[in-house]
Amino acid sequence: MTDSLNARRARLIDALQPDDAILLVGAGEPVPLPEGTDQNYPYRSHSEYYYLAGMECPSGVLAVDFKGGACGEWVSFVPDLTERERIWDGRAPVPGTTIAALEPWLTQRRGRPIIMLGEPLRGVRADAALTFQAREKLRHLRRPKDAGEIALMRRAAAATAPGYARLRELIAPGVTERALQIEMEVEYLRHGASRTGYASIVGIGSNSAILHTEPTSHAAKAGDFVLVDAAAEVDRYMVDVTRTFVVGEPTPFQRDLHQIVVAAEERAVAKCRPGAEWKEIHLGAARDMVAGLVGMGVMRGAADSLVEQNAHLLFFPHGIGHMVGLGVRDASGSQPGRAKDPRPCLENLRMDLTLAPGYAVTVEPGLYFIPALLNDPKRREKHRNVVNWPLVDQHIGLGGVRIEDTVIVTNGEPESLTGMIPKTP
């Protein structure tokens, strides 16, 4: 048991202040592929289990009896391996108590309330209210990353950077989204990645305006935007990065659009300090980018007023970012006790938090020419006086620009883990 795992478990017990409850944390079961292929989907233990157990263990269960409040009472129940698993999968035994002992362990504590975190266990009835409260408290405890977690994220960033360097060498007319994905991911693995942190997004031309586009055989031509949102993972910890390139020389319009997003991103990164409100960082980036669009002649009016009218959502329809680390949406959400802000301009914001040291966040502003938004008659009518629609129509197929870095909030200057990756188009 490492010191960090001991500290995590002790903090959880202290936060829960349980009375007579029992805590179970399920890793989750392997999920078979359909049609009897005799294989499973790639396995990942539930993040709550991994955070408290520090290992992948299909069907594993962590259990603790809170009576006495001693952290040493944690028990790790692990499955007994079958001969088939040893032969076909090469799996080795995991240290712990046989899973067969879980049922008698629970029987001895029958009638007491159960808190169930991680993946629920079949046949075990948990106390819904206690479980909800415990999950909210654990989510908040997981937000500040400890030194070991940040070290893994730095390694993930170091494995990611060579992938983007390789992209810059390859981007040219004729290269496909799929080819860029393959070359980039190979570089991650060559430089120490365990795998990709999430499904790589590579969009060329108009596809760069599809927020979660999947790489295809679509080929680049001169003048296309190439938006890449992809990063590496090391031992379950990852970073999240986006860069946008141009095939050949950018037009003045493309250069201006790119510079607006880069400047907004860098200003937002600089604001990632303890005590800062995330939604204010989001709104600040929206105002910055709207002011840039006004300067380009795409929009008309004062930036503050345009954001209040939600006109920015035509070009910036998502939030400024989210938490990241043990997963690509690691522990995002709201400050404990905070109700959701009802303003439409914050509808797509993934978190509403006061930043604190150790928080790992993504900062990812973007400007896009999305036909589904810009060709909508109701939106055109609502914003008829604040958008230069003839100019917009000239660029409907342009795509979009997003710039993203993973940032650690510190007691001083924010640390951009991925800031070494160039942002030039």
Side-chain angles (χ1 to χ4, degrees), residues 53-324:
M55 64 178 180
E56 300 281 12
C57 183
S59 308
V61 178
L62 276 178
V64 61
D65 186 336
F66 285 127
K67 278 192 172 179
C71 194
E73 294 179 5
W74 289 77
V75 183
S76 177
F77 294 98
V78 299
D80 299 316
L81 294 183
T82 65
E83 184 177 83
R84 178 179 181 81
E85 288 171 329
R86 293 173 185 268
I87 294 173
W88 289 87
D89 301 333
R91 288 178 57 188
V94 176
T97 302
T98 174
I99 196 71
L102 177 59
E103 185 174 351
W105 189 91
L106 290 171
T107 299
Q108 293 173 6
R109 295 158 177 81
R110 183 176 292 138
R112 291 169 58 187
I114 295 175
I115 299 170
M116 177 70 73
L117 296 177
E119 192 68 20
L121 303 183
R122 296 190 188 96
V124 177
R125 180 175 295 179
D127 184 298
L130 289 177
T131 294
F132 176 81
Q133 294 169 9
R135 174 157 283 128
E136 289 298 296
K137 290 178 179 178
L138 178 57
R139 180 181 291 116
H140 195 56
L141 283 175
R142 286 174 52 198
R143 284 168 177 157
K145 299 295 179 279
D146 60 37
E149 292 177 296
I150 293 173
L152 288 172
M153 294 179 69
R154 288 194 182 109
R155 288 173 57 192
T160 299
Y164 280 87
R166 179 63 176 148
L167 285 184
R168 298 192 72 88
E169 298 172 355
L170 294 171
I171 291 176
V175 70
T176 66
E177 295 167 344
R178 180 68 72 191
L180 293 176
Q181 175 201 9
I182 292 168
E183 294 294 331
M184 175 178 57
E185 293 180 0
V186 166
E187 289 301 311
Y188 297 167
L189 297 174
R190 283 176 175 154
H191 290 84
S194 306
R195 45 160 282 166
T196 58
Y198 49 94
S200 296
I201 296 168
V202 182
I204 292 175
S206 60
N207 287 349
S208 62
I210 302 173
L211 301 182
H212 282 176
T213 190
E214 296 183 359
T216 69
S217 59
H218 181 67
K221 62 183 186 299
D224 277 344
F225 273 135
V226 181
L227 187 152
V228 180
D229 184 339
E233 174 187 304
V234 173
D235 295 347
R236 285 293 299 268
Y237 282 83
M238 64 190 66
V239 292
D240 195 349
V241 189
T242 307
R243 295 291 186 265
T244 306
F245 310 94
V246 176
V247 183
E249 286 296 316
T251 66
F253 190 92
Q254 287 176 313
R255 184 178 292 107
D256 289 348
L257 198 69
H258 193 278
Q259 288 177 347
I260 288 168
V261 177
V262 170
E265 194 256 0
E266 292 179 347
R267 282 192 289 268
V269 167
K271 295 176 183 177
C272 292
R273 295 172 179 271
E277 288 292 338
W278 188 246
K279 60 187 174 185
E280 294 306 321
I281 294 175
H282 168 78
L283 291 172
R287 288 189 290 268
D288 285 345
M289 291 191 293
V290 165
L293 291 177
V294 170
M296 291 179 65
V298 175
M299 302 188 79
R300 303 186 181 102
D304 286 347
S305 175
L306 291 169
V307 172
E308 288 174 5
Q309 297 173 55
N310 302 316
H312 66 289
L313 296 176
L314 291 167
F315 303 97
F316 177 40
H318 58 76
I320 191 64
H322 50 82
M323 304 202 89
V324 67

Side-chain angles (χ1 to χ4, degrees), residues 20-71:
D20 195 36
I22 299 163
L23 172 65
L24 300 177
V25 188
E29 302 287 335
V31 179
L33 288 167
E35 302 175 4
T37 58
D38 208 24
Q39 297 183 55
N40 296 325
Y41 285 100
Y43 181 78
R44 293 168 75 82
S45 295
H46 194 288
S47 59
E48 292 173 343
Y49 176 89
Y50 192 90
Y51 182 77
L52 295 167
M55 64 178 180
E56 300 281 12
C57 183
S59 308
V61 178
L62 276 178
V64 61
D65 186 336
F66 285 127
K67 278 192 172 179
C71 194

Side-chain angles (χ1 to χ4, degrees), residues 335-354:
Q335 194 80 7
R338 181 176 291 180
K340 181 173 176 59
D341 193 311
R343 287 178 286 176
C345 59
L346 299 174
E347 181 180 1
N348 294 325
L349 205 59
R350 297 184 185 274
M351 53 186 267
D352 183 3
L353 297 168
T354 304

Side-chain angles (χ1 to χ4, degrees), residues 267-278 281 353-359 361 363 407-415:
R267 282 192 289 268
V269 167
K271 295 176 183 177
C272 292
R273 295 172 179 271
E277 288 292 338
W278 188 246
I281 294 175
L353 297 168
T354 304
L355 297 185
Y359 281 19
V361 298
V363 178
V407 179
I408 302 294
V409 180
T410 75
N411 286 313
E413 293 285 334
E415 178 187 357

